[in-house]
Every structure is written in structure tokens, then in C-alpha cells.
Amino acid sequence: MPRFSIIVPSHGVAGRLSQALDSVLAQSFGDFELIPVCDAPDSPAADVVAGYAERDCRVAPVNSPPTAGLAGARNAGLRAAIGDWLLFLDGDDVLVPGALAALDARLGETGDVDVLYFEHERTPWWVGEPTNPAAPLLATAPDGVFAPERAPQLTGVQLPAWSATYRRAFLTEGRLAFPDGHFTDVGFGGLVVLGAERIAVLRRVVVRHLLRRQGNRLGLPGEHHFELLDQAELVLTRAAERGLSEERFGPLFEQLFAVVLKTAAHPQRLRRGRRAFFRRANGLYRRHRPTGFRTPGGSLGVQHRLLASGAYAAFRALRGVNQAAARMASALPRPRGLRTRLRYRRQLRRPLDQNLAVYCAYWGRGYVCNPAAIHAKARELAPHIRSVFLVEPDAVDSMPKDVEYAVIGSRAYWDVLARAKYLINNANFADAVVKREGSVHLSTQHGTPLKKMGADQATYPVVAAATGSFARLLARVDRWDYNLSSNRHSTQMWERAFPAEHETLEYGYPRNDVYYTATAADVARVRRELGVPEGKKALLYAPTHRDHATGFETGLDLQALCEEIGDEYVVLLRAHYFYDQGTARGSGRIIDVTGHRCAEDVCLAADALITDYSSIMFDYANLDRPIVVYADDWEVYRELRGVYFDLMENPPGRVARTPQELAAVIRDGSYADEEARALRAAFRERFCQFDDGRAAERVVRRVLLGEPPEAAEPVIPLAERIPAPAATTLVRN
């Protein structure tokens, strides 16, 4: 039987879960079991946990459905636990080094207490000094083992569940579990102290709690705040039933209502139903107020008295709600130009157009990528929705004749942005765009992240300088309602890179649908359009952008490569879209396709891909055609740009580090041999997870038609998908 059972709920934190698990498994004290609680066997967190369970027999995952909430997840872990002592660790928190050894030593001193409280550190997600809010509370507790009567201020409701370790027999014998619903820590903490007889403290930080950028989910607006009153009533009723002494009941009552009043006074938590919340809190207050209770001083005391008297209007006025609303209105972002600004603000006062969708790709480059694929499917499945594409002036000529568009910066542009119900982009809309209540913003992304993205770029000076203000970047992210993911890796990395309260849609990338719907005739047509000579094998060379370089350089002598590999090959050169200047580079066997608007067409035309670190490799892998990684500066790129995984350890095919190696693997055919196929198969299994040719339909039905998540068609298994055929065979003659 292990000394400790460490229970880690994981809902919504798959991107940071590995940090929590690593912090436990790295402890010097090893007598424990680690119980991650996943939503389901196929959830994002379960993918992370599976690897840990394979490597370490102490990892014993269990499942709890998301509908059971945090309480259900913790209770599922509690039922599975067999350790003497229980710890509850949130999935994005960590145990500090030496934590378990310190707990074991302290428990050796105290013996079988019911609960041992310890300090925790709250760490800002971005910048700022950590705080230790438990330290002042625990500082007043007795030094040894004590009964709750000796520390009446230690009620349990001010400390989260992960700021203590609990004797498992105490919880099971007392039938103590986490109460259902939100604010379960308040109910559980209060019930634990009411049932405890022997308590001790450890004045040392054991858990480091990462403060989420988007704040605690409990702080979001919604009717779930009424459940705080349920938890308070549960604890107060249990305390009354036990005949709790006045010395203990007073602090418990005061601490519970400090939390209740904080919610009642917060204008953003209860946008509707604040009066009903106040009235119910008033009844609870009057019913349980202990005899002789003295209200605290200052503003909090005034709130107590107003609540006790039921004076809602005075309570509301006390908080200066109108002033707060005025401050928010003054911070409204504005487009440039007085006339445009005034027009935009007038349009914002008009009702949303429930049948208007606005699309944009790559800051207005044209009708491309995921937004274009969604737009096309929406015209088929949701023809009642008017769709407008936003484009820069130089992209107007490339727009399909039957697609409505608005030029960025024009009056029409601001008009549709002000009134559209749906806003769909693969990058971000301008800072000045207002997220209106009732509008739906979908971020489609435009690739699978190998390089660091979003907030994760901050520690890389070169790219951070190019990114600009991270505060402004994250303010744009805050507008998202949905974010698309094409594989579980992306789901986890987007969570880290773009911390905000949006929902991830694991539907695949709509732009990649064509890799499973295109026919041999489509492939032949595209090759003719690009000028690929009949019978030639086309190698697509698509290098990525270098943040530390100025201008575009191929990094590879393509003419020399062509001479080395033989005249049966031609090279399709596609530079990063940053360098699309509409002019051709190269001639003869080197065909510049940088200016071709559709990257998917170019991939369909290619018999094999040569790239360095471009995300095009993840999309191209759907075609199940050979990929060669040309990594002549991997160490420099990894150091300066930052990456999420080691591509050299998990490549999609052969890796060449020099021009000579690259020419050799093509010349001898090893780029398409059995070993290359095995590498590609493993890569596809990991990164082509949700791309099956039906992503656009799933997106349209969920986002534009409002169909429930469970109605989405399941993803076709990888083994059952049939990619578009290649134009030529890939064995050297």
C-alpha cells in the first residue's frame, strides 16, 4: 500500500498536464501512486497520460465524464486510491521538489492526523511575484497536533483542496467526498474541518499553483454562481446539526459570507440574476447568522449590514457598477479615421445580422486556406447565410467571380465586421474589431505547430520582437469562441500558446479535405496549370521563414540539386507566403509556384516534398507521399525560434543535413524506401489524426448551423482513408 495517492483531474489542461505529472514522478520520495483522471480513454489528456502509464507502473489513470465536473473527477480518483494519504493536484499545478519527502517527514512527527494543511504558492502565468496566501492563515495555528477548537479561524473554506493532505481512512470512514457542482472546494473544505478531530500544519510550500491567464473558470459569468450558495448552505447546515460552538461558528459564517459577498458585488459574475442571488443570500444570512455575531469593519462590514437588511438597491449602488460600465465603454477600441470610427460605432449599435458570416485568410491575401474551404462548404450546407470575404486591394483580382468580398479598410469592411454573427479567420482580425455579445468567432489556424507560437514565443527574443505586444495578441485571442485543431498535439500546444476561454474543435483542417476528395483528373489538371512536364516527377521544395534572416534565400542550390538527381525530376519552389511578390524565380527544371494562391493544389501536384521545418509537412503527410527533411541549420533554428518537439527524433521521412545527403537520398531512391515509409506512417498516426476529408462539413454544421457536438460525424480511421493518387510512381528507373 503506497504512502501517498496523488489525484490529478485533467479536464481542459492537456497542454500543461505533463508538467504536473513530471513534477510528481521527479520527487525524491517515491512511495506513491499517481492517479490522473481523464474525461475518457480517447480524450486529449488520456493521450498524454498513456505514455506515462506505459513508462511507470505507479501511474494508474481513471476516467470521469466531463459532465461530472471537478467534484466527480476527484471523487473518481478518491474511490480508486489505495494510499494512506491523499493529495489532490490540479492538472496545471506542480509539486515543488522535495514536497513528498517533506510531507512524509512531517507526518512522521504528527502521527495519524486527519488532515495536514500546508502552504502553496500562486504563480502569475506571465509576470509578477508569486504569493503565498496560506502562510498568514497557517502562521496562527498551533505548532503541534491540535483539535479544531484550538484554531477556530482555520475553517477549511479559505484553503483549496490541493493545500492539504488527507488521511484516506478519515475520509472514507466519515463518508466525506467532494459535493457536486461548482465551488466544490468550499463545501469540501468546510466539511473536512467539521469532521476532523486532529489537525496539523506544515509551514512550507508544497504546491505551486499556476494562475491561468483567463482566470479561474469559477469567475466567469453564469448561473453557476448560485451553486456557491448551495455549498455555503451545506456547510452551515452541517455545522448547525453538529451544534458547533459559537467560537467556531462565527469565523466559519464570516469566511463563507466573505466569498458570497465577493460574488454578489461583482458586476461581471452575475450579469443576470444578481437580485435573485442577493435575495437568496439574504435568507441564508438571516437563517444562519450566529447569536452575537459582530460584523467586520470597513466596506465589508457595510456589505454585511446591507445584506442582512435585504437592501439590494443600496448594495448595488455601493459597488459603483455604473462607473465600471463607463470605464469599459471608454476603453472601446476604434478603427482609424474619425468618419470611419463614427460609422463603425453606429453600426455596432444595430442588431447583429444572424445570417451574415465574414471570412478572412492570412490578413487578406485572398480566397485560400481553411476559411475558403469552410466558405465553400457553407454555400452548400447553409445557403441562407450571406458570406463576405475580406481581402487586401491587391488580392481582389484573384477572388472567384461568384464570391462576395469587401476590401480591408473600406466602409463595407467595417459595416460587415460590426454586424456579422460569424467571424472566421485563420490568423486574427484587427485590434479595433469589437467582440459583440452573441457573435461567434472561429479561429481556424493555418498549420500544425512545430515552432513555438503565441505566448510561448515570449522567451525567444528574435521572434518576440517581431511579434510585438503579447498583450494585444492575447486580447485578440480573447475574442475566439472556437479554435480548430487537426491533431491532439495541436490541441495541447494551442492550449499553452493561446490561453483563453474558447472551445477547441478537434475536427481537422478543412483545407486538407481536398487531399481525400481530389481525383486523378484533379491532380493531372493542377500539374498542367503549374507547367509540370508530362512524365516528370515533381519534387516540391517548401522551406519555412527564418525569423533571424532578412529576405528569402532558398538555403539550397536547386540548380545543382537538379543536376545531381537526374533529368526525370523537376522542382516546384514554394517560398513562404511572406515572400510572395508575384514574380517568378528560377527557370527550366525549377518552377516557381510561390505565387500560386492554393498551397493544396501545389501539394497535389507534387510526387514528394522536400522541406525544412515548414508546417506544410503535416498537411502533405495526409497524401501519404514521401517527405524529406532538409535540416542544414536545425540547431540554429531550434535555439532561435523554439520548437515543441525534436523533429530529428520524429521526422516524417528521411533527414538530410547537407546538399550532398539530400541529392543522395533522392538519387538512390531511399527517400521512398521501406524505412522512409515506416517513419511517415508513425508521423501520420500522430499528426493526421482528424483530417479525413470531412472537416469543413463538421465545422459548418457545428459553428454555422448550431448542431450539437454529439451530432458530428466521427472521424474516419486513418487506415480507412484513401488519399488522392500521385501522378507518378516513386521508384527510380
Side-chain angles (χ1 to χ4, degrees):
M1 184 178 295
R3 180 71 157 160
F4 296 102
S5 293
I6 304 164
I7 298 165
V8 187
S10 62
H11 179 69
V13 293
R16 298 191 182 274
L17 180 59
S18 59
Q19 298 179 18
L21 303 183
D22 288 342
S23 75
V24 176
L25 295 173
Q27 292 289 312
S28 57
F29 183 92
D31 186 14
F32 62 82
E33 63 171 348
L34 176 56
I35 306 177
V37 186
C38 305
D39 292 345
D42 60 348
S43 66
D47 282 358
V48 176
V49 169
Y52 285 89
E54 290 175 3
R55 296 190 297 270
D56 198 313
C57 63
R58 296 173 297 179
V59 180
V62 298
N63 296 323
S64 176
T67 52
L70 177 61
R74 287 174 172 170
N75 288 335
L78 194 158
R79 290 190 296 269
I82 60 173
D84 294 327
W85 296 89
L86 303 180
L87 282 91
F88 299 93
L89 187 70
D90 280 359
D92 51 1
D93 295 345
V94 297
L95 287 181
V96 301
L100 293 184
L103 287 175
D104 179 66
R106 181 60 174 153
L107 290 170
E109 298 169 357
T110 64
D112 286 343
V113 294
D114 295 323
V115 57
L116 172 68
Y117 290 104
F118 48 73
E119 297 175 7
H120 63 269
E121 195 172 74
R122 292 180 177 266
T123 305
W125 83 278
W126 191 248
V127 293
E129 292 297 320
T131 59
N132 185 344
L137 185 62
L138 300 186
T140 62
D143 290 332
V145 179
F146 56 90
E149 287 78 7
R150 294 183 56 201
Q153 292 296 325
L154 193 59
T155 67
V157 301
Q158 290 183 313
L159 292 172
W162 37 260
S163 197
T165 183
Y166 310 88
R167 186 165 57 88
R168 184 169 63 88
F170 159 65
L171 295 184
T172 56
E173 291 168 4
R175 298 183 179 179
L176 290 169
F178 287 87
D180 290 339
H182 294 83
F183 304 96
T184 187
D185 279 17
V186 173
F188 180 75
L191 295 178
V192 162
V193 174
L194 289 175
E197 296 179 357
R198 290 166 51 84
I199 298 175
V201 300
L202 171 64
R203 297 184 180 92
R204 168 176 170 162
V205 171
V206 171
V207 171
R208 183 168 294 121
H209 173 65
L210 177 68
L211 295 171
R212 294 163 57 90
R213 171 183 171 265
Q214 54 270 47
N216 191 311
R217 293 187 180 95
L218 296 178
L220 295 174
E223 294 187 358
H224 65 277
H225 288 284
F226 282 87
E227 296 177 31
L228 172 60
L229 300 178
D230 297 337
Q231 302 290 354
E233 186 165 18
L234 172 66
V235 174
L236 291 169
T237 300
R238 188 72 56 87
E241 291 171 351
R242 288 177 175 266
L244 204 66
S245 67
E246 184 178 322
E247 290 76 17
R248 291 183 62 190
F249 204 111
L252 176 64
F253 180 87
E254 182 176 340
Q255 290 178 22
L256 282 170
F257 274 93
V259 181
V260 169
L261 285 166
K262 184 176 181 180
T263 296
H266 201 297
Q268 294 303 312
R269 293 184 182 177
L270 287 165
R271 294 177 180 172
R272 290 185 294 271
R274 290 182 66 203
R275 184 184 296 273
F277 182 93
F278 186 87
R279 286 175 176 171
R280 185 179 165 196
N282 165 255
L284 192 63
Y285 190 98
R286 298 177 66 177
R287 188 161 61 250
H288 290 280
R289 179 175 180 171
T291 303
F293 175 72
R294 298 182 62 182
T295 58
S299 176
L300 182 58
V302 175
Q303 292 180 51
H304 269 267
R305 290 189 287 275
L306 292 174
L307 179 61
S309 62
Y312 174 72
F315 181 88
R316 188 174 186 271
L318 181 68
R319 302 301 300 171
V321 174
N322 293 332
Q323 292 182 5
R327 286 195 298 270
M328 291 176 62
S330 67
L332 188 70
R334 309 171 186 176
R336 295 178 181 177
L338 179 59
R339 287 186 178 180
T340 304
R341 182 162 68 242
L342 294 175
R343 182 185 181 90
Y344 182 53
R345 297 188 71 165
R346 284 197 303 271
Q347 294 290 340
L348 288 172
R349 289 194 290 269
R350 297 180 64 191
L352 283 174
D353 186 335
Q354 300 296 320
N355 292 318
L356 175 60
V358 170
Y359 298 80
C360 190
Y362 297 116
W363 304 278
R365 287 190 69 236
Y367 192 74
V368 293
C369 196
N370 290 319
I374 296 170
H375 175 277
K377 184 59 67 172
R379 297 173 75 179
E380 173 189 336
L381 299 179
H384 62 285
I385 294 180
R386 174 192 172 200
S387 299
V388 180
F389 235 87
L390 306 181
V391 295
E392 288 288 355
D394 59 1
V396 168
D397 291 341
S398 70
M399 291 295 294
K401 300 303 181 185
D402 59 344
V403 173
E404 183 180 357
Y405 65 86
V407 175
I408 291 176
S410 67
R411 287 187 174 186
Y413 166 83
W414 288 110
D415 287 352
V416 294
L417 280 175
R419 300 200 57 211
K421 166 79 171 183
Y422 308 100
L423 292 97
I424 299 166
N425 204 327
N426 73 348
N428 254 315
F429 290 99
D431 290 344
V433 173
V434 174
K435 173 67 166 76
R436 296 186 62 179
E437 185 173 357
S439 66
V440 177
H441 286 232
L442 168 66
S443 167
T444 73
Q445 300 297 340
H446 53 270
T448 290
L450 167 61
K451 62 188 178 185
K452 292 293 180 73
M453 299 293 291
D456 288 340
Q457 299 173 119
T459 55
Y460 295 88
V462 173
V463 67
T467 300
S469 168
F470 283 94
R472 291 171 64 184
L473 166 66
L474 293 171
R476 296 190 290 270
V477 171
D478 283 338
R479 298 185 300 217
W480 299 353
D481 294 291
Y482 299 106
N483 185 34
L484 272 188
S485 171
S486 58
N487 48 65
R488 197 51 58 74
H489 162 79
S490 294
T491 299
Q492 296 168 14
M493 297 310 105
W494 294 148
E495 180 186 315
R496 292 175 44 178
F498 303 117
E501 289 293 339
H502 53 257
E503 180 182 349
T504 298
L505 300 180
E506 292 183 323
Y507 287 175
Y509 281 161
R511 71 181 185 189
N512 291 343
D513 286 354
V514 70
Y515 296 141
Y516 296 100
T517 59
T519 64
D522 294 322
V523 173
R525 173 185 52 78
V526 173
R527 286 168 69 93
R528 287 194 300 271
E529 291 175 358
L530 296 179
V532 178
E534 189 172 348
K536 297 291 185 181
K537 298 173 183 176
L539 304 176
L540 171 59
Y541 176 52
T544 193
H545 168 63
R546 300 294 195 280
D547 297 274
H548 54 278
T550 55
F552 172 71
E553 295 181 4
T554 64
L556 183 65
D557 188 335
L558 296 179
Q559 196 64 50
L561 176 67
C562 287
E563 293 174 2
E564 286 285 329
I565 62 178
D567 61 6
E568 65 194 88
Y569 295 97
V570 295
V571 174
L572 305 177
L573 169 62
R574 186 170 182 83
H576 191 279
Y577 62 82
F578 285 175
Y579 307 111
D580 177 14
Q581 299 176 349
T583 56
R585 285 182 289 269
S587 59
R589 291 174 58 195
I590 303 170
I591 304 172
D592 186 353
V593 295
T594 303
H596 191 82
R597 290 286 175 177
C598 183
E600 294 74 55
D601 277 358
V602 174
C603 288
L604 285 171
D607 298 294
L609 170 68
I610 302 170
T611 187
D612 41 22
Y613 325 118
S614 170
S615 65
I616 199 172
M617 72 178 79
F618 301 99
D619 305 305
Y620 191 83
N622 282 285
L623 290 168
D624 199 17
R625 302 177 191 174
I627 302 173
V628 181
V629 175
Y630 178 59
D632 61 331
D633 63 345
W634 169 248
E635 288 73 19
V636 173
Y637 185 85
R638 180 175 59 184
E639 182 70 22
L640 295 181
R641 186 59 177 83
V643 296
Y644 285 116
F645 68 94
D646 190 343
L647 183 63
M648 301 302 102
E649 294 291 328
N650 300 279
R654 294 285 187 177
V655 175
R657 303 300 292 262
T658 67
Q660 294 75 24
E661 290 180 6
L662 177 60
V665 298
I666 297 174
R667 191 170 55 245
D668 64 18
S670 60
Y671 74 112
D673 65 9
E674 195 62 38
E675 182 177 342
R677 282 194 289 272
L679 290 169
R680 187 168 72 250
F683 192 84
R684 295 182 76 232
E685 189 72 29
R686 181 179 180 186
F687 295 112
C688 298
Q689 201 167 0
F690 307 130
D691 288 328
D692 65 352
R694 299 189 298 186
E697 179 174 348
R698 283 190 284 267
V699 171
V700 170
R701 292 191 180 280
R702 178 70 190 283
V703 177
L704 298 183
L705 297 179
E707 295 184 3
E710 57 271 18
E713 288 290 332
V715 174
I716 299 172
L718 189 63
E720 299 176 16
R721 302 175 206 166
I722 302 176
T728 64
T729 57
L730 286 164
V731 178
R732 183 172 173 80
N733 297 329

